[in-house]
Amino acid sequence: MAKEANLSNPTLRQCAVDAACGRRAFDILIEGAIILDMVTGRERQADIGLVGALIASVHAPDPQARANKRINADGAYAVPGFIDTHMHIESSMVTAATYSNIALTKGVTSVVWDPHELANVVGVAGVDHALEEARSARLRILPLAPTCVPSAPGYEFSGGDFDSVVLSDLLKRDMIHGAAELMTMQPLLAGEKRVTDIVNAGLASGKRVCGHGRGLAGRDLAAYAAAGIETDHELTSAEDLIARLEAGMTVELRGSHEHLLPAFAKALLELGQLPQTVTLCTDDVFADDLLHKGALDRVMRILIREGLPVDWVYRAATLNAASRIRRPDLGLIAPGKRADIVLLSDLIDVRVQTVFTDGALAVDNGKLLAPDQSVPCPAALLKTVKTERFTPQDFEVVAQGNEAKIATLSKPRFPQWGERVVAIEGDRLKLPDDMIRMAVVNRHGRHTPVRVAFMENWGTWRGAFATTISHDSHNLTVFGRNPADMAAAANALHSMDGGLAVAKDGEVIASLALPIAGLVSSDPLEKIAEDFTAVRAALDALVDWDPPYLVFKALFGSSLVCNPGPRLSDAGLVDVFEERILESCVLDSYF
Amino acid sequence: MAKEANLSNPTLRQCAVDAACGRRAFDILIEGAIILDMVTGRERQADIGLVGALIASVHAPDPQARANKRINADGAYAVPGFIDTHMHIESSMVTAATYSNIALTKGVTSVVWDPHELANVVGVAGVDHALEEARSARLRILPLAPTCVPSAPGYEFSGGDFDSVVLSDLLKRDMIHGAAELMTMQPLLAGEKRVTDIVNAGLASGKRVCGHGRGLAGRDLAAYAAAGIETDHELTSAEDLIARLEAGMTVELRGSHEHLLPAFAKALLELGQLPQTVTLCTDDVFADDLLHKGALDRVMRILIREGLPVDWVYRAATLNAASRIRRPDLGLIAPGKRADIVLLSDLIDVRVQTVFTDGALAVDNGKLLAPDQSVPCPAALLKTVKTERFTPQDFEVVAQGNEAKIATLSKPRFPQWGERVVAIEGDRLKLPDDMIRMAVVNRHGRHTPVRVAFMENWGTWRGAFATTISHDSHNLTVFGRNPADMAAAANALHSMDGGLAVAKDGEVIASLALPIAGLVSSDPLEKIAEDFTAVRAALDALVDWDPPYLVFKALFGSSLVCNPGPRLSDAGLVDVFEERILESCVLDSYF
């Protein structure tokens, strides 16, 4: 946020004092609102006088108060702007400007952005671009320095390589708010130098050091916190939530795993109070969900629906967040604080009418004023699909003999190692009827072979899906049964400089172009959402999913090497926790 | 605290991770305690493993855990060290070392010290000495830069003169935690340059800017907060408390005004939750109260007795305080936090057994280990009673004629202007039978005349009391009827280089020497408390007080010029709010 006002400006403060004392007109006076007070939890009628970016006064309604502009907020509720404590803008496939425009209309005025995906594709240039985008957005974007580029060093190859030297350099930049989620859990607990140095660079900066403690419990969780990690959003159960609260961590309840929110709400209700260390985040929101369901406002809506007291939910999204991200100027409607204010027609449904950020009207009765324009995209972020074109042969596994014993990926979402004996036809493995192929190829210029794995329990497929969004290295990843379909889908991405494509019978039947780093499009959100919905629908028609674990979204995380279990990466079949790397899935051949 | 460990030390962190993972022995393992968790509010059995100054692990009891030293805490409660968010060590008349020694045994591990009194006597040298004392103490002392030296510029003359240039310089020092309570309220609200510049220097430093918002309400309170003031402890009612919470201020509920705590407890109970902006402080504790009744622990005890839930009270004293003073390393018993830990035998009575600070055992089963020694006192802080010796004549008011109309101070604690016509005998005013004299003389080298006022409603006096503790300029102040008694008491202070003295029939009958800045003694606390008790008892025998407003303590605040109402200072009879200064109380003479 380039335009964030300096609240230590003496003239600004003097004008605010003068206005509060009645010696000067307020710049803006919001009249008639009911404040939901984040400190007391109570509602009260009060008018809010703004001077520049400051809230100068919050006072009982006073028709005598002078103001250059009066906002009639009769019957509306006033709360502080919402703060999303952990998210990746790239996950919505949009530019920061596009995200800013939609988020503001939802009442979100601040987000803590980890540009982890951009960094994993184009390295420091990705972070630089994120800073440039943050600087130009009206949304208050607090960018973090990604700590896991790649997130499983040695087990995957991404487009960047951030060691502690790179990270220290990033952390020196004023705009960088802290060190982003530390996903390299096992190496950290094992005391490995690279990641330990990275965490220590974060601590030395004096800025926040954020976490990703997937699956950690007991002494592992203690060790993770002892290392200096402050936060976590990777909770998968109420037990996880309580364990992290007891470990003194700031919890970021996330909307991307909506099915867990009821359990979290229940656990908090049982506590009988909202700990000040509970905040809310979105983490990842697909473009269509962002457009149709919302951003952080959606997380709030769900938690209210699940029975959390309304003031708890708003407090988690405002005051708690502000305290934990060390921004005492945010999170309250009170004199001396920064004027990020949301007016709502309905607290339960989080129905946002009007939004002020930094003292300026940003959304007026649902209408976004002066939308942000995307900043020009530097060349480094374009043409990032650095592969050759593909042939069906690229998706075959070559083997000798009659049969082969192979290592398989046996479950989606929570993958396990499997083994299977499969037939060999000619010089290649024959895919059993109940399995599908997954293929990953480095797209960051390494020119390594396409890695192919066979997967069990991934449903029935009648086509192929290719994506350059593939956490966390975002190598080109293809799923399907038929090598011809897979090649068609992959070649579509090659042509589009990245994105998503669905192919059937050798033809591409749906696609979304994401030419910025293979992750993002500068098209309008509506267009991206529409194409994304079409891609999802096309694939849904070709695949019989087996919910709840196996869903479309699972495809994007199936290469998330840093998490427990076997994964396919551009290095082969790998397992960080077992320290295992197989370049080919073939374990043994029988003649 | 010189020895405060750097928690960003990579070796320390690595050792903590190793210990948490079981690869290394803990330095200290606290076994068998019940943790009162400040986040969840729940009690649970857990062992606490320390490595250096870090809490490395908090885990379910595990007899296999290795440790170099085991502490048996069976049946004890474990809570974080208490944090006093606003106090003046000088008010206890002891050195910081003496305060540290007693406070640690009470479970207090951190205090935010405004060395306002030292600064008002000896200026920057007083702050420098405070920093030196803080550096040597085992108690974590976070010194503030005093903002009101003097607290009513132009209406009183103290031994220091801190404008914004001095303040900026102090704020640059690493050890300085923020800008201290801003008492110059009315000038700030009026936009006067000196105090406005001082507040702006605080804001520019990026450190905390603390408040003293006595009597502020409505638009004045809003303006005070809009100026950038974050905190307040000067609440006098439940309405004050709610108003400050609603104004987004951090509230410091203080023990020095014990009679107000029941109303505060009731108001918080009605809120139904403890706002995270509520903290606790002592402000001023006399030596004997400190010894016999306690420090912050006493405030906690009272609030628990008043019905606040136990976990609220401990949270206010720990996690809330840590969050609001921007010390995320404090306030929790959790891995990765600083090991300030208190073990108690009784939560309700706040009965402290054992205390760790910065990972080291400081108090073992009630016994203080390695007491702090007072640091040498520089010459600038000694010989600070720069007056001539006194004669009874110094306490007379000279006037011509038969009668004079005089301005009087008509009430203790909440003073009001009065008028009286009094007789003149010879060349001096005759003191009416129902009144007493108050006299103030500059002791900081200005050599101005002794100012004398007549006071109504201050009880019946049969002797005199002199003190060099006299807020906030700490000029030599004397109360009594008889000029001979007043001269005797004042001369005792002259001889002792400051302190307190009671005289009757021309003789000193009790005294306490405070040779350091006329405020503090390096004697043992027990000795100071005993002498102070004797002084109080001696005066109680000579004065018929009229509680609750008129008590011994009121004498020390009767010259507090920055607060509302008329006051006597070394400049005369003054009223900051009415902008009035009378060098003599004589308004008119009749012949």
Side-chain angles (χ1 to χ4, degrees):
Chain A
M1 186 185 234
K3 297 147 286 189
E4 191 173 45
N6 172 15
L7 297 191
S8 300
N9 179 321
T11 307
L12 174 65
R13 290 282 178 181
Q14 191 58 58
C15 291
V17 170
D18 288 345
C21 290
R23 292 189 297 264
R24 185 186 189 280
F26 295 111
D27 291 345
I28 296 175
L29 182 61
I30 302 168
E31 295 180 296
I34 298 159
I35 290 183
L36 175 60
D37 191 301
M38 293 293 92
V39 172
T40 65
R42 290 177 177 168
E43 294 178 5
R44 75 180 190 278
Q45 185 96 33
D47 291 353
I48 308 164
L50 311 188
V51 170
L54 268 180
I55 299 175
S57 180
V58 179
H59 52 262
D62 172 13
Q64 304 303 316
R66 289 180 299 138
N68 297 324
K69 182 184 173 82
R70 308 180 97 87
I71 303 278
N72 179 353
D74 276 348
Y77 292 91
V79 296
F82 312 151
I83 302 170
D84 188 338
T85 52
H86 172 77
M87 54 86 71
H88 311 280
I89 290 178
E90 311 96 300
S91 293
S92 299
M93 305 162 216
V94 298
T95 64
T98 303
Y99 195 93
S100 170
N101 292 336
I102 184 81
L104 286 171
T105 67
K106 311 283 187 189
V108 180
T109 53
S110 303
V111 301
V112 178
W113 178 22
D114 174 12
H116 173 82
E117 324 304 345
L118 287 178
N120 267 289
V121 176
V122 285
V124 171
V127 181
D128 282 337
H129 182 59
L131 294 182
E132 193 55 37
E133 287 198 280
R135 203 174 282 123
S136 315
R138 201 151 183 199
L139 177 67
R140 178 172 299 96
I141 297 175
L142 306 171
L144 298 170
T147 58
C148 298
V149 183
S151 65
Y155 295 86
E156 64 182 334
F157 297 90
S158 76
D161 183 6
F162 289 8
D163 60 12
S164 62
V165 176
V166 174
L167 201 79
S168 292
D169 185 57
L170 290 175
L171 284 163
K172 282 190 195 115
R173 307 186 191 186
D174 283 345
M175 275 190 77
I176 290 283
H177 168 73
E181 56 177 323
L182 200 290
M183 310 167 75
T184 338
M185 296 165 277
Q186 286 309 120
L188 178 66
L189 301 187
E192 285 187 16
K193 183 168 164 49
R194 176 186 165 108
V195 59
T196 300
D197 286 353
I198 283 173
V199 171
N200 288 328
L203 294 174
S205 75
K207 298 182 176 181
R208 295 170 69 229
V209 181
C210 301
H212 164 119
R214 179 75 164 213
L216 297 183
R219 53 176 48 183
D220 283 350
L221 182 62
Y224 191 64
I229 309 295
E230 296 176 33
T231 69
D232 195 13
H233 52 268
E234 293 282 331
L235 339 175
T236 60
S237 65
E239 293 68 39
D240 265 7
L241 168 59
I242 298 298
R244 277 144 186 79
L245 291 175
E246 288 180 347
M249 302 182 90
T250 293
V251 162
E252 300 145 337
L253 300 181
R254 66 175 168 178
S256 62
H257 291 56
E258 188 181 324
H259 60 287
L260 297 169
L261 294 176
F264 298 154
K266 187 158 171 287
L268 291 175
L269 285 170
E270 278 167 13
L271 270 189
Q273 49 109 358
L274 178 75
Q276 59 195 260
T277 49
V278 172
T279 70
L280 309 182
C281 77
T282 55
D283 203 354
D284 307 294
V285 184
F286 286 140
D288 52 351
D289 289 340
L290 179 62
L291 180 65
H292 301 301
K293 298 181 178 171
L296 198 71
D297 57 312
R298 173 163 167 76
V299 186
M300 297 166 68
R301 228 166 357 250
I302 294 171
L303 289 171
I304 291 171
R305 198 179 62 209
E306 292 299 327
L308 281 194
V310 173
D311 64 311
W312 290 19
V313 173
Y314 282 87
R315 188 178 299 121
T318 60
L319 176 59
N320 282 10
S323 297
R324 307 321 289 186
I325 68 169
R326 306 187 196 165
R327 284 290 302 245
D329 58 326
L330 301 176
L332 282 178
I333 296 184
K337 303 293 178 187
R338 195 178 291 275
D340 278 12
I341 297 171
V342 176
L343 302 178
L344 305 114
S345 60
D346 187 308
L347 280 178
I348 308 288
D349 280 351
V350 197
R351 231 175 272 156
V352 173
Q353 284 181 323
T354 295
V355 179
F356 298 84
T357 118
D358 226 37
L361 190 59
V363 177
D364 186 11
N365 259 307
K367 184 176 156 34
L368 179 71
L369 308 176
D372 288 328
Q373 303 301 320
S374 293
V375 301
C377 190
L381 275 74
L382 303 172
K383 310 277 179 203
T384 61
V385 181
K386 298 169 186 165
T387 65
E388 304 300 313
R389 287 187 67 81
F390 299 91
T391 66
Q393 172 63 27
D394 291 328
F395 302 97
E396 300 283 4
V397 181
V398 173
Q400 305 299 322
N402 297 317
E403 283 185 329
K405 184 166 79 175
I406 64 166
T408 67
L409 299 173
S410 85
K411 277 186 81 175
R413 296 304 272 281
F414 305 94
Q416 296 174 0
W417 287 103
E419 279 187 8
R420 190 74 82 89
V421 174
V422 301
I424 297 174
E425 290 186 344
D427 63 348
R428 58 194 65 171
L429 298 183
K430 180 175 187 306
L431 181 69
D433 288 346
D434 65 321
M435 298 181 87
I436 67 165
R437 296 168 201 265
M438 175 178 179
V440 177
V441 61
N442 185 283
R443 69 166 168 112
H444 308 299
R446 286 179 65 85
H447 303 293
T448 40
V450 178
R451 309 294 181 183
V452 180
F454 286 5
M455 302 164 101
E456 299 167 286
N457 304 308
W458 274 74
T460 307
W461 284 60
R462 294 172 294 275
F465 173 66
T467 175
T468 48
I469 301 177
S470 182
H471 295 279
D472 274 338
S473 284
H474 302 296
N475 282 308
L476 198 160
T477 303
V478 194
F479 303 84
R481 280 192 55 83
N482 177 344
D485 290 347
M486 294 173 80
N491 282 329
L493 302 196
H494 187 273
S495 303
M496 296 189 299
D497 296 322
L500 314 177
V502 178
K504 183 182 184 237
D505 302 332
E507 300 289 333
V508 173
I509 59 169
S511 67
L512 165 60
L514 300 170
I516 300 174
L519 303 171
V520 165
S521 165
S522 58
D523 281 345
L525 175 60
E526 292 72 11
K527 170 81 167 74
I528 299 169
E530 190 182 324
D531 288 355
F532 182 77
T533 303
V535 165
R536 172 145 57 178
L539 195 62
D540 282 348
L542 299 183
V543 181
D544 301 328
W545 304 107
D546 185 16
Y549 293 114
L550 181 56
V551 293
F552 177 61
K553 185 176 170 176
L555 300 174
F556 300 101
S558 60
S559 189
L560 193 56
V561 175
C562 66
N563 275 0
R567 310 269 169 169
L568 184 68
S569 81
D570 63 323
L573 267 167
V574 303
D575 188 324
V576 170
F577 284 61
E578 293 190 2
E579 300 185 9
R580 187 178 186 193
I581 302 181
L582 301 178
E583 293 203 2
S584 162
C585 64
V586 177
L587 300 172
D588 209 350
S589 297
Y590 308 109
F591 293 85
Chain B
M1 185 184 237
K3 297 147 286 189
E4 192 172 45
N6 172 15
L7 298 192
S8 300
N9 179 321
T11 307
L12 174 64
R13 290 283 178 180
Q14 190 58 58
C15 290
V17 170
D18 288 345
C21 289
R23 292 190 296 264
R24 184 186 190 279
F26 295 111
D27 291 345
I28 296 175
L29 182 61
I30 302 168
E31 293 180 297
I34 298 159
I35 290 182
L36 174 60
D37 191 302
M38 293 294 92
V39 172
T40 65
R42 290 176 177 168
E43 295 177 4
R44 75 179 191 278
Q45 184 98 34
D47 291 353
I48 308 164
L50 311 187
V51 170
L54 268 181
I55 299 174
S57 180
V58 179
H59 52 263
D62 173 12
Q64 304 303 316
R66 289 180 300 139
N68 297 323
K69 182 184 172 83
R70 307 179 98 87
I71 302 276
N72 180 352
D74 276 349
Y77 292 90
V79 296
F82 312 151
I83 302 170
D84 188 339
T85 52
H86 172 76
M87 55 87 72
H88 311 280
I89 290 176
E90 312 96 301
S91 294
S92 299
M93 305 161 217
V94 298
T95 64
T98 304
Y99 194 93
S100 170
N101 290 338
I102 183 80
L104 286 171
T105 66
K106 311 284 185 187
V108 180
T109 53
S110 303
V111 301
V112 179
W113 178 21
D114 173 12
H116 172 81
E117 324 306 344
L118 287 178
N120 267 289
V121 175
V122 285
V124 171
V127 181
D128 282 337
H129 182 59
L131 294 183
E132 193 55 37
E133 287 198 281
R135 203 173 282 123
S136 315
R138 201 150 181 199
L139 176 67
R140 177 172 300 97
I141 297 175
L142 306 171
L144 298 171
T147 58
C148 298
V149 184
S151 65
Y155 294 86
E156 64 182 334
F157 296 91
S158 75
D161 183 7
F162 289 7
D163 60 11
S164 61
V165 175
V166 174
L167 202 78
S168 292
D169 185 55
L170 290 175
L171 285 163
K172 282 190 194 115
R173 306 184 192 187
D174 283 344
M175 274 189 78
I176 290 283
H177 169 72
E181 56 175 325
L182 199 290
M183 310 167 77
T184 337
M185 298 164 277
Q186 287 308 121
L188 178 66
L189 301 187
E192 284 186 17
K193 182 167 164 53
R194 177 186 163 107
V195 58
T196 301
D197 286 352
I198 283 173
V199 171
N200 287 329
L203 294 175
S205 75
K207 298 182 176 181
R208 295 171 68 230
V209 181
C210 301
H212 165 120
R214 179 74 165 213
L216 297 183
R219 53 174 50 180
D220 284 350
L221 182 62
Y224 191 64
I229 309 295
E230 295 176 34
T231 69
D232 195 14
H233 52 268
E234 292 283 332
L235 339 175
T236 59
S237 65
E239 293 68 38
D240 266 7
L241 167 59
I242 298 298
R244 277 143 186 79
L245 291 175
E246 289 180 348
M249 302 182 91
T250 293
V251 162
E252 300 145 338
L253 300 181
R254 67 175 167 178
S256 62
H257 291 57
E258 188 180 324
H259 60 289
L260 296 169
L261 294 177
F264 297 155
K266 186 158 170 287
L268 291 175
L269 284 170
E270 279 167 13
L271 270 190
Q273 49 110 359
L274 178 75
Q276 58 196 261
T277 50
V278 172
T279 70
L280 309 182
C281 78
T282 54
D283 204 353
D284 307 293
V285 183
F286 286 139
D288 52 352
D289 290 339
L290 179 62
L291 181 64
H292 301 302
K293 297 181 178 171
L296 198 72
D297 56 312
R298 173 163 166 76
V299 186
M300 296 166 69
R301 229 166 356 251
I302 294 170
L303 289 171
I304 291 171
R305 199 180 61 210
E306 292 299 328
L308 281 194
V310 173
D311 64 311
W312 290 19
V313 173
Y314 281 87
R315 188 178 298 122
T318 60
L319 176 60
N320 282 8
S323 296
R324 306 322 288 188
I325 67 168
R326 307 187 195 165
R327 285 289 303 245
D329 57 327
L330 301 176
L332 283 178
I333 297 184
K337 303 293 179 187
R338 195 178 291 276
D340 279 12
I341 297 170
V342 176
L343 302 179
L344 305 114
S345 59
D346 187 308
L347 280 178
I348 308 289
D349 279 351
V350 196
R351 230 174 274 157
V352 173
Q353 285 181 322
T354 294
V355 179
F356 297 84
T357 117
D358 225 39
L361 190 59
V363 177
D364 186 10
N365 259 307
K367 186 176 155 33
L368 179 71
L369 308 176
D372 286 330
Q373 304 301 320
S374 293
V375 301
C377 190
L381 275 74
L382 303 173
K383 310 277 179 201
T384 61
V385 183
K386 298 169 186 164
T387 64
E388 304 299 316
R389 288 187 66 81
F390 300 90
T391 65
Q393 173 63 28
D394 290 328
F395 301 97
E396 300 283 5
V397 181
V398 173
Q400 304 300 323
N402 296 318
E403 283 185 328
K405 183 166 80 176
I406 63 166
T408 66
L409 299 173
S410 85
K411 278 186 80 175
R413 296 303 272 282
F414 304 94
Q416 295 174 0
W417 287 103
E419 278 187 7
R420 191 74 83 89
V421 174
V422 300
I424 297 174
E425 288 187 342
D427 63 347
R428 57 195 64 172
L429 298 184
K430 180 174 187 305
L431 181 68
D433 288 346
D434 65 321
M435 298 181 87
I436 67 165
R437 296 169 201 266
M438 175 177 178
V440 177
V441 60
N442 185 282
R443 69 163 169 113
H444 307 300
R446 286 181 65 86
H447 304 293
T448 40
V450 178
R451 309 294 181 185
V452 180
F454 286 5
M455 302 164 100
E456 300 169 285
N457 303 308
W458 274 73
T460 306
W461 285 59
R462 295 172 294 276
F465 173 67
T467 175
T468 47
I469 301 176
S470 182
H471 294 280
D472 272 339
S473 284
H474 302 297
N475 281 309
L476 198 159
T477 302
V478 194
F479 304 85
R481 281 192 53 85
N482 178 343
D485 289 347
M486 293 173 80
N491 282 328
L493 301 196
H494 187 272
S495 303
M496 297 189 299
D497 296 323
L500 314 177
V502 178
K504 183 180 184 238
D505 302 334
E507 300 290 332
V508 173
I509 60 169
S511 67
L512 165 60
L514 299 170
I516 300 174
L519 303 171
V520 164
S521 165
S522 59
D523 281 346
L525 175 60
E526 293 72 11
K527 170 80 167 75
I528 300 170
E530 190 183 324
D531 288 354
F532 182 77
T533 302
V535 165
R536 172 145 57 178
L539 196 63
D540 283 348
L542 298 182
V543 181
D544 301 326
W545 304 106
D546 185 15
Y549 294 112
L550 182 54
V551 292
F552 177 60
K553 185 175 169 178
L555 300 174
F556 300 101
S558 61
S559 188
L560 193 57
V561 176
C562 65
N563 275 0
R567 310 269 170 169
L568 184 67
S569 81
D570 63 324
L573 267 166
V574 303
D575 188 323
V576 171
F577 284 61
E578 293 189 3
E579 301 185 7
R580 187 178 187 193
I581 302 181
L582 301 179
E583 291 205 2
S584 162
C585 64
V586 177
L587 298 173
D588 210 349
S589 298
Y590 309 107
F591 293 85

